[in-house]
Amino acid sequence: MTGTEVLTGRIADQNGPWLSDRLLKLGVDVAHITICGDRPADLTAQLRFLTEQGVDLVVTSGGLGPTADDLTVSTVAEFCNRELLLDPGLEEHIAGIIRSFRPDAPDLDAGPTRIGIRKQAHVPIGATALPPTGTAPGVVVPAVPGDRPVPTIVILPGPPGELQAMWPSAVTSPAVADVLSRADDLQQETVRAYGLHEAQLAETLRRAETEIADLDRLEITTCLRHGELDMVTRFASGDAHIYRRLLGVLIEHHERQIFSLDGATIDDRLIDALDGRSIGTAESCTGGLVAARLTDRPGSSAYVMGGVVSYSNDAKSDLIDVPAEMIVAHGAVSEQVAAAMAEGARHRLKVDVAVSTTGIAGPGGGTEAKPVGTVCFGVAIEGRPTYTVTRRFPGDRERIRTLSTTAALHLVVAQLDQG
Amino acid sequence: MTGTEVLTGRIADQNGPWLSDRLLKLGVDVAHITICGDRPADLTAQLRFLTEQGVDLVVTSGGLGPTADDLTVSTVAEFCNRELLLDPGLEEHIAGIIRSFRPDAPDLDAGPTRIGIRKQAHVPIGATALPPTGTAPGVVVPAVPGDRPVPTIVILPGPPGELQAMWPSAVTSPAVADVLSRADDLQQETVRAYGLHEAQLAETLRRAETEIADLDRLEITTCLRHGELDMVTRFASGDAHIYRRLLGVLIEHHERQIFSLDGATIDDRLIDALDGRSIGTAESCTGGLVAARLTDRPGSSAYVMGGVVSYSNDAKSDLIDVPAEMIVAHGAVSEQVAAAMAEGARHRLKVDVAVSTTGIAGPGGGTEAKPVGTVCFGVAIEGRPTYTVTRRFPGDRERIRTLSTTAALHLVVAQLDQG
């Protein structure tokens, strides 16, 4: 990975986790992710480090742009002791791309734009250019065996869309295919739980160690995120029977909290649980996040009719018929109002299921009785009494809104599963 | 950084960029971010690499939990040749925290929970424990000078909330304060533009090189994100006059596209432009993302009244009065419907300003006349004709939704600025 923009905190590295995930699914064990700025010396130091670790494959992302701070190709070429050569066909290809989306561009055959294009069309001798999916081509530099070996290095662009679109041609290039042919037969399985504390899972895993022989052949990682606890296990395919025994122990202790054994997310589970019914939202403290989450899935317009962000009390009354006197009597953050919001949304949006959130995301607005983090939920389902519950979430505004959004989905699934 | 959960693609590393940003503001030049799994050998290799690079400070995050896969403290202790000692006071402190949020916990004085707590209460000899902000304490291990020098190593927990809460006590610990006292006097400035292509900025920067002496004393990074182009410049405070000349060249060429010279985001600019007016939303393809973005700011309830996610045609008609015949005549994705949505939201939500989005986020639903990525926007402002525009965005569903959300904010600011 390169890119001062990742290093200086403006963007989180999306490419590292994405590439790791793809490589793992190809059986590649990813040992290190490194990020450096746009200084050639730092990138060279990391390439040397990774080479010394004996890795078979290095994938870089970023630093392929037309600006002078983008130096990945030339730095890798120097590291591999390969000269850079201009590929005239590639140069014309890039110019054509720029022409197509910048018809107003100045003369591409001269001046600074041509310098940028020419820079991007330089490829190390013996390397393969990957056709651009944006404007920048990728490069695969084959390994050099021998006394001073160099691993195969794949150079990909930084924008995640371009990188992901280029990945298939990188994987099928001869030098990468050769590395992959020697990869292990690894498997990865994910169990997801909600409402389970990491310390409880740690206890169960310690117990499992005493009950299951060879449990240490599994590489187990636990990760708490947005209130959900993921347990990811990697193992050689021959050890699948050990993993099945572990699953048995987990289900025995935490069946109520486990909602997924096959990596399915709560968003996936919600679609199953809806089973053709339509859904809508009425949000206050989550401010649209629940609706955004429901609609991030292709095809969601088939079952998401819409939602209301009733941030003000007037909006609650005008758009989804929450009685103004109810808000005065119980406060906007109350189970009564949550119920009325869900029922109002169900009627106004003409949906089978509606979920509501109203709470105090902070930092202001908390009271002793209803401190920051207090959130009331309502789930209204056609033909059933409306369900309400109050939760208290830790953390700052962003965390409370995120935890509330995840909680809303879990509550809908739990209610639908009971029906 | 440690954590197989970051390595295997389930979560993007938030801590690396956050820590880099903080360190930079303290004048520390961050050269490398590295991520490895929960294997001690990989972490040791990275510590050795960073030490060989001659860094003064290493900050790790993650691997402090009670589970057996959390091995950062013991690995660092071994790397530094320091024995681990149990801190009984710290052990009681952690037990107290667990007791407070798990009143149902089994007996903490025995069994697997006590093993986990005791593990977390081990500190390398000569190191300082940082009080837990979650359940895990942090550790500061002071540098060792001499023939085989070891840098100061700060061990922080993985959950971003805990890490960020612990940062102030890490920074003020004597070993870290000593490193910071030797930090450079670096400055960082950010310019943001919208509707500017990276290649255009590259041209301008090449031109600036010929016009401004010593421009190479500035470290310039450009980064395209969500359709916005950021240019971040780092320089020694003595070189501020060079940066001011660069700013002059940028404004001369791109005044129309530059919306921020001081690092302010378009969200910040929107608050200024609203100048006390209220705002609401009517969203179709963005599905709540615009409302969520407006409400992610503390205190936004003072000016955000709410929004409608009118995903279905019925919701458009029922909730915000878009005539059904208009949808039939022009299609839901049309400037006519965008205008009606914005006006309907303005009236129903009783707001001064309303913005609407209706488009085809894909992957299905595109036609030759309105391909995937086509999005119509409307901005309705009290006392003015409603503004509408159609844009076409590249990329997949997620990208189109994100670019549309950012575009909506820019359109509102542009319209308000004209008024």
Side-chain angles (χ1 to χ4, degrees):
Chain A
M1 304 310 121
T2 68
T4 304
E5 62 263 27
V6 179
L7 208 55
T8 53
R10 272 157 307 117
I11 50 174
D13 174 34
Q14 279 185 50
N15 292 326
W18 190 88
L19 288 168
S20 290
D21 194 49
R22 295 303 143 132
L23 287 166
L24 185 81
K25 288 190 173 122
L26 295 167
V28 176
D29 187 14
V30 180
H32 301 275
I33 297 180
T34 62
I35 299 169
C36 68
D38 296 319
R39 283 185 297 220
D42 291 342
L43 177 56
T44 302
Q46 294 190 348
L47 291 170
R48 198 175 306 123
F49 164 67
L50 294 168
T51 301
E52 282 165 7
Q53 298 304 307
V55 302
D56 298 303
L57 179 67
V58 172
V59 183
T60 76
S61 76
L64 301 187
T67 47
D69 58 323
D70 289 312
L71 292 162
T72 306
V73 174
S74 59
T75 306
V76 169
E78 203 182 313
F79 179 75
C80 298
N81 244 321
R82 292 174 190 260
E83 215 175 312
L84 280 176
L85 278 190
L86 176 68
D87 180 334
L90 189 55
E91 184 180 6
E92 260 332 284
H93 187 72
I94 299 169
I97 293 169
I98 295 192
R99 228 172 257 125
S100 76
F101 66 69
R102 280 187 66 200
D104 62 325
D107 185 6
L108 290 183
D109 294 329
T113 305
R114 174 57 65 173
I115 297 174
I117 295 172
R118 191 156 287 166
K119 172 176 171 301
Q120 292 183 299
H122 272 82
V123 178
I125 288 186
T128 312
L130 302 170
T133 54
T135 66
V139 178
V140 176
V141 188
V144 179
D147 279 357
R148 254 196 82 232
V150 175
T152 296
I153 302 178
V154 180
I155 304 172
L156 298 177
E162 291 184 32
L163 176 140
Q164 292 171 20
M166 200 179 283
W167 184 241
S169 64
V171 167
T172 50
S173 70
V176 177
D178 179 56
V179 172
L180 296 178
S181 69
R182 296 177 314 225
D184 287 344
D185 185 17
L186 278 179
Q187 221 176 311
Q188 173 171 311
E189 297 290 342
T190 301
V191 170
R192 295 185 209 276
Y194 186 69
L196 182 63
H197 196 278
E198 209 171 358
Q200 294 170 280
L201 180 59
E203 283 168 36
T204 305
L205 289 176
R206 287 213 174 77
R207 231 168 253 136
E209 274 173 30
T210 66
E211 294 175 18
I212 303 174
D214 290 332
L215 188 69
D216 56 0
R217 296 179 61 85
L218 311 183
E219 186 183 325
I220 300 171
T221 311
T222 60
C223 170
L224 187 65
R225 181 175 46 149
H226 303 167
E228 294 176 348
L229 187 60
D230 286 2
M231 191 189 85
V232 177
T233 309
R234 295 165 67 180
F235 49 91
S237 299
D239 292 328
H241 62 287
I242 308 175
Y243 180 69
R244 280 194 298 273
R245 286 206 56 197
L246 173 63
L247 267 193
V249 173
L250 287 176
I251 292 169
E252 180 193 331
H253 287 90
H254 308 298
E255 185 171 18
R256 230 166 29 89
Q257 291 99 342
I258 291 173
F259 66 88
S260 169
L261 291 173
D262 58 357
T265 61
I266 191 64
D267 310 64
D268 299 325
R269 291 277 294 104
L270 178 63
I271 314 292
D272 296 343
L274 277 175
D275 194 21
R277 281 174 284 201
S278 59
I279 188 166
T281 60
E283 303 179 65
S284 187
C285 63
T286 49
L289 289 171
V290 178
R293 177 105 170 239
L294 290 175
T295 56
D296 73 3
R297 185 171 290 252
S300 50
S301 59
Y303 51 89
V304 182
M305 294 303 112
V308 168
V309 180
S310 52
Y311 221 54
S312 67
N313 289 343
D314 276 358
K316 289 181 183 66
S317 301
D318 295 348
L319 291 174
I320 45 175
D321 312 313
V322 179
E325 19 340 326
M326 180 191 277
I327 298 176
V328 172
H330 302 284
V333 178
S334 62
E335 294 192 24
Q336 289 86 346
V337 168
M341 285 171 66
E343 288 163 9
R346 206 174 79 65
H347 292 118
R348 288 293 197 106
L349 290 159
K350 301 178 189 143
V351 287
D352 302 313
V353 181
V355 58
S356 67
T357 65
T358 177
I360 301 152
T367 64
E368 200 163 325
K370 294 173 187 173
V372 168
T374 305
V375 181
C376 301
F377 298 87
V379 181
I381 302 177
E382 160 97 75
R384 285 213 238 159
T386 296
Y387 170 85
T388 62
V389 68
T390 303
R391 292 274 167 84
R392 203 161 288 173
F393 299 108
D396 62 8
R397 182 176 178 87
E398 190 191 336
R399 181 127 186 261
I400 291 166
R401 282 162 47 101
T402 308
L403 290 173
S404 301
T405 302
T406 304
L409 300 194
H410 279 280
L411 289 170
V412 172
V413 171
Q415 288 305 306
L416 288 172
D417 279 353
Q418 275 181 25
Chain B
M1 304 308 121
T2 68
T4 304
E5 62 264 28
V6 179
L7 210 55
T8 53
R10 272 159 306 114
I11 49 174
D13 173 34
Q14 278 185 51
N15 292 326
W18 190 88
L19 288 168
S20 290
D21 194 48
R22 296 300 143 136
L23 287 166
L24 185 81
K25 288 188 175 124
L26 294 167
V28 176
D29 186 15
V30 179
H32 301 276
I33 297 179
T34 62
I35 299 168
C36 68
D38 296 320
R39 284 185 296 221
D42 291 342
L43 177 55
T44 302
Q46 294 189 347
L47 291 171
R48 198 175 305 124
F49 164 67
L50 294 168
T51 301
E52 283 166 6
Q53 297 306 306
V55 303
D56 298 302
L57 178 68
V58 172
V59 183
T60 76
S61 76
L64 301 187
T67 47
D69 57 325
D70 290 311
L71 292 162
T72 306
V73 174
S74 59
T75 305
V76 169
E78 204 182 312
F79 179 75
C80 299
N81 244 320
R82 291 174 190 260
E83 215 176 311
L84 280 175
L85 278 190
L86 177 67
D87 179 335
L90 189 56
E91 184 181 6
E92 259 333 284
H93 187 72
I94 299 170
I97 292 170
I98 295 193
R99 226 174 257 124
S100 75
F101 66 68
R102 279 187 65 202
D104 62 325
D107 185 7
L108 290 184
D109 294 327
T113 305
R114 174 56 67 173
I115 298 175
I117 295 172
R118 190 155 289 168
K119 172 177 170 301
Q120 293 182 296
H122 272 81
V123 179
I125 287 185
T128 312
L130 302 171
T133 53
T135 67
V139 179
V140 176
V141 189
V144 179
D147 281 356
R148 252 197 83 233
V150 175
T152 296
I153 302 179
V154 179
I155 305 173
L156 298 177
E162 291 184 33
L163 175 138
Q164 292 170 21
M166 199 178 283
W167 184 241
S169 64
V171 167
T172 51
S173 71
V176 176
D178 178 56
V179 172
L180 295 179
S181 69
R182 295 180 314 234
D184 287 341
D185 185 17
L186 278 180
Q187 221 175 310
Q188 174 172 310
E189 297 291 341
T190 302
V191 170
R192 295 186 209 275
Y194 185 70
L196 182 64
H197 196 279
E198 210 171 357
Q200 293 171 278
L201 180 58
E203 283 167 35
T204 305
L205 289 176
R206 287 213 175 78
R207 232 168 252 138
E209 275 174 30
T210 65
E211 295 174 19
I212 304 175
D214 290 333
L215 188 69
D216 57 359
R217 296 179 61 84
L218 311 183
E219 188 183 322
I220 300 170
T221 312
T222 60
C223 170
L224 188 65
R225 182 174 44 149
H226 303 169
E228 294 175 347
L229 187 60
D230 285 3
M231 190 189 86
V232 178
T233 310
R234 295 166 67 179
F235 49 91
S237 299
D239 292 328
H241 62 287
I242 309 175
Y243 180 70
R244 280 194 299 273
R245 286 206 57 195
L246 173 62
L247 267 193
V249 174
L250 287 175
I251 292 170
E252 179 193 331
H253 287 89
H254 308 298
E255 185 171 16
R256 232 166 28 90
Q257 291 99 344
I258 291 173
F259 66 89
S260 168
L261 291 173
D262 59 357
T265 61
I266 192 63
D267 311 64
D268 299 324
R269 292 277 296 105
L270 178 63
I271 313 295
D272 296 343
L274 277 175
D275 193 21
R277 282 173 283 200
S278 60
I279 188 167
T281 59
E283 302 180 65
S284 186
C285 63
T286 50
L289 288 172
V290 178
R293 177 105 171 240
L294 291 174
T295 57
D296 73 2
R297 183 171 292 252
S300 50
S301 59
Y303 51 89
V304 182
M305 294 304 112
V308 168
V309 180
S310 52
Y311 221 55
S312 68
N313 289 343
D314 275 359
K316 289 181 184 69
S317 300
D318 295 348
L319 291 174
I320 44 174
D321 312 313
V322 179
E325 14 348 321
M326 180 190 275
I327 299 177
V328 172
H330 302 283
V333 179
S334 61
E335 293 192 25
Q336 289 87 347
V337 169
M341 286 171 67
E343 288 164 9
R346 206 173 79 64
H347 291 118
R348 289 292 197 107
L349 290 159
K350 300 178 190 142
V351 287
D352 302 314
V353 182
V355 58
S356 67
T357 65
T358 177
I360 301 151
T367 63
E368 198 161 325
K370 294 173 187 173
V372 168
T374 305
V375 181
C376 301
F377 298 86
V379 181
I381 302 178
E382 160 97 76
R384 285 215 238 158
T386 296
Y387 170 86
T388 61
V389 67
T390 302
R391 292 275 167 85
R392 203 163 285 173
F393 299 108
D396 61 9
R397 183 177 179 86
E398 190 192 337
R399 181 129 188 261
I400 291 166
R401 281 162 48 102
T402 308
L403 290 173
S404 301
T405 302
T406 304
L409 300 194
H410 279 280
L411 289 170
V412 172
V413 171
Q415 289 306 305
L416 289 172
D417 279 352
Q418 276 179 24

